[in-house]
Amino acid sequence: MPDDLLNSFKTGPDEKGRFGNFGGRFVSETLMPLILRLDAEYERAKTDPAFWDEMRDLWTHYVGRPSPLYHAARMTERLGGAKIYLKRDELNHTGAHKINNVLGQILLARRMGKERIIAETGAGQHGVATATVCAKFGLKCVVYMGAHDVERQQPNVFRMRLLGAEVVPVTSGRGTLKDAMNDALRDWVTNVRDTFYCIGTVAGPHPYPAMVRDFQSIIGTEAKDQMQAAEGRLPDTIIAAIGGGSNAMGLFHPFLDDRSVRIIGVEAGGKGVDETMQHCASLTGGRPGVLHGNRTYLLQDDDGQILEGFSISAGLDYPGIGPEHAWLHETKRADYVSITDREALAAFTFCCETEGIIPALEPCHALAHVMKIAPELPADHLICMNMCGRGDKDIFTVAKALGVDISKPA
Ligand SMILES: *Cc1c(COP(=O)(O)O)cnc(C)c1O
């Protein structure tokens, strides 16, 4: 191994898909050939310039990349400490980072000659991104969504249907994201020949965690160049919210070997991690186990039963976390903290009022942590936070939390 990679955090996963003790391929024998075929095809695509040329062209003309790196001047002034930059991935087509990954997987599906795309979705953001790209390429799209989530997320269900997708309500288990992912995996095994499974975060069996990370790494790669252009150096702290961990992994990965850069992942603390079990903080409040084909930190009870997460933000509501985060946590290369619903809501209002940006509730968790640390840091400390989604989808939730009835005229 070359010297510069000897102590690198970027070499993982190994050939079995392991990041230290995490990740891997815990799948049934029927699924194994599909996973191996996907892995081989991804390895070929990864080194094919034509694949990345097509990707870059779509990122530019369809998604609207690069997303700006924006100096949040009023926010910086109000907090009175570190200089705050926001990576504006909420400006992407469909309003979040999800499409970066979906485009990559669907280009791969096209190379493999697959004409039917399946996906799981919780809040509906990944389902919408997948339905969008399928419409663009004329592919059949089936989205598995917990029956409970179908009820809670009607606007996104309608969006997916407008885009031509079939939304399948999943009633097994508790009818949430975890169950939707199980059903999608079952569908994949049954419809091997024409179907490609497009996973929405850095979870699942190898190669998904690494592949999704690679597609999302455009976030960190751009941020690094943009910070260099703006400040002539690296940021001191980078920070992102974590559901499964894909937007965070995308921001973090290009910086992993820049040891001067402090890396912070922010989990959803719901009603409080120490006081209650009503949270989604898999790393700060869970322990290792196996779910959806990989070993990672999970929310589980004493018998190893997976628990439902709880958060004001539907997009953070996953009981696991990508295995690479579990490894970065154990190696201490990254720090993981949690933020409560209440703190996230305060950050939401703060962001609207200081910067004229209505953020999604997910990145508000990262912002709430920025609000905690920035005042204590010197003015020349550079923070880069990923603004991974916009808030249009969340205004009803926020109104309810603030006690405002927006169905009636003011
Ligand atoms: C889906 C989503 C998330 C959570 O997913 P990650 O894989 O952790 O990035 C976070 N923010 C937004 C806006 C989302 O849509």
Side-chain angles (χ1 to χ4, degrees):
M1 202 181 275
D3 262 3
D4 57 336
L5 287 180
L6 213 53
N7 290 308
S8 174
F9 281 91
K10 285 188 180 174
T11 54
D14 66 15
E15 70 284 358
K16 291 191 169 143
R18 287 177 308 210
F19 300 92
N21 279 323
F22 302 101
R25 271 185 187 127
F26 295 84
V27 298
S28 64
E29 267 175 51
T30 42
L31 207 53
M32 204 54 165
L34 282 71
I35 303 269
L36 292 176
R37 221 168 298 144
L38 172 66
D39 194 15
E41 191 64 38
Y42 178 53
E43 284 305 313
R44 268 195 296 277
K46 215 159 62 170
T47 53
D48 180 356
F51 178 77
W52 292 105
D53 283 348
E54 190 176 10
M55 186 90 147
R56 264 190 294 273
D57 183 62
L58 288 163
W59 271 340
T60 306
H61 299 105
Y62 194 64
V63 178
R65 302 208 72 93
S67 67
L69 182 72
Y70 166 70
H71 172 216
R74 288 231 311 143
M75 215 177 243
T76 299
E77 193 186 301
R78 281 275 295 278
L79 294 174
K83 186 167 182 182
I84 300 162
Y85 282 88
L86 304 177
K87 177 64 174 158
R88 302 285 308 274
D89 250 52
E90 98 279 11
L91 295 175
N92 293 337
H93 182 39
T94 69
H97 62 287
K98 295 274 184 349
I99 197 161
N100 302 329
N101 161 49
V102 168
L103 268 178
Q105 289 196 52
I106 287 187
L107 291 187
L108 196 59
R110 278 161 52 85
R111 283 170 74 100
M112 296 173 81
K114 307 287 185 187
E115 287 172 351
R116 179 175 178 269
I117 308 296
I118 59 170
E120 84 293 335
T121 200
Q125 295 300 105
H126 175 59
V128 168
T130 306
T132 297
V133 179
C134 284
K136 186 204 155 17
F137 285 112
L139 298 166
K140 185 168 166 48
C141 179
V142 178
V143 180
Y144 287 90
M145 187 167 187
H148 185 54
D149 289 333
V150 169
E151 257 167 55
R152 291 194 284 187
Q153 310 290 339
Q154 274 302 323
N156 273 342
V157 173
F158 185 56
R159 277 186 194 106
M160 287 184 265
R161 289 183 173 146
L162 284 174
L163 293 160
E166 179 192 344
V167 179
V168 181
V170 174
T171 51
S172 59
R174 304 227 181 107
T176 58
L177 176 58
K178 163 177 68 69
D179 312 298
M181 198 154 172
N182 285 334
D183 273 25
L185 283 163
R186 268 193 285 275
D187 176 313
W188 197 22
V189 177
T190 323
N191 299 290
V192 183
R193 204 182 41 78
D194 66 339
T195 297
F196 184 99
Y197 181 17
C198 180
I199 295 187
T201 190
V202 284
H206 179 64
Y208 282 102
M211 180 172 70
V212 175
R213 170 202 73 197
D214 293 346
F215 293 145
Q216 291 293 3
S217 289
I218 185 68
I219 300 171
T221 303
E222 285 177 5
K224 207 169 185 178
D225 287 350
Q226 290 166 322
M227 192 61 94
Q228 201 68 42
E231 297 281 349
R233 67 182 182 89
L234 293 170
D236 298 295
T237 298
I238 58 175
I239 179 160
I242 296 187
S246 69
N247 87 84
M249 229 29 260
L251 175 65
F252 297 171
H253 195 257
F255 292 99
L256 288 182
D257 288 339
D258 299 302
R259 302 299 171 93
S260 68
V261 179
R262 181 163 184 217
I263 299 177
I264 306 176
V266 185
E267 297 192 293
K271 294 186 177 165
V273 176
D274 296 330
E275 312 86 70
T276 72
M277 276 311 291
Q278 309 240 307
H279 62 78
C280 286
S282 320
L283 271 184
T284 39
R287 59 198 165 77
V290 172
L291 179 69
H292 298 143
N294 71 94
R295 183 171 186 276
T296 188
Y297 275 74
L298 303 169
L299 298 179
Q300 49 189 320
D301 66 15
D302 292 341
D303 301 325
Q305 288 291 324
I306 304 303
L307 299 169
E308 293 298 324
F310 178 90
S311 167
I312 189 170
S313 149
L316 301 182
D317 210 334
Y318 182 63
I321 181 167
E324 193 166 6
H325 286 293
W327 176 70
L328 291 173
H329 168 67
E330 289 212 343
T331 55
K332 297 191 162 49
R333 175 60 187 99
D335 294 326
Y336 294 85
V337 298
S338 71
I339 282 292
T340 64
D341 288 355
R342 189 189 304 257
E343 292 169 323
L345 266 172
F348 180 95
T349 316
F350 179 70
C351 188
C352 293
E353 291 173 359
T354 54
E355 294 296 344
I357 296 171
I358 300 181
L361 281 168
E362 292 88 357
C364 288
H365 289 71
L367 181 57
H369 194 68
V370 169
M371 289 165 71
K372 280 187 185 173
I373 61 174
E376 312 297 324
L377 293 164
D380 63 354
H381 187 104
L382 305 176
I383 294 181
C384 172
M385 188 208 107
N386 194 25
M387 182 57 79
C388 57
R390 57 177 174 245
D392 318 35
K393 68 183 178 62
D394 290 324
I395 52 166
F396 298 99
T397 309
V398 171
K400 196 169 158 209
L402 298 176
V404 180
D405 186 352
I406 54 176
S407 67
K408 298 203 187 91

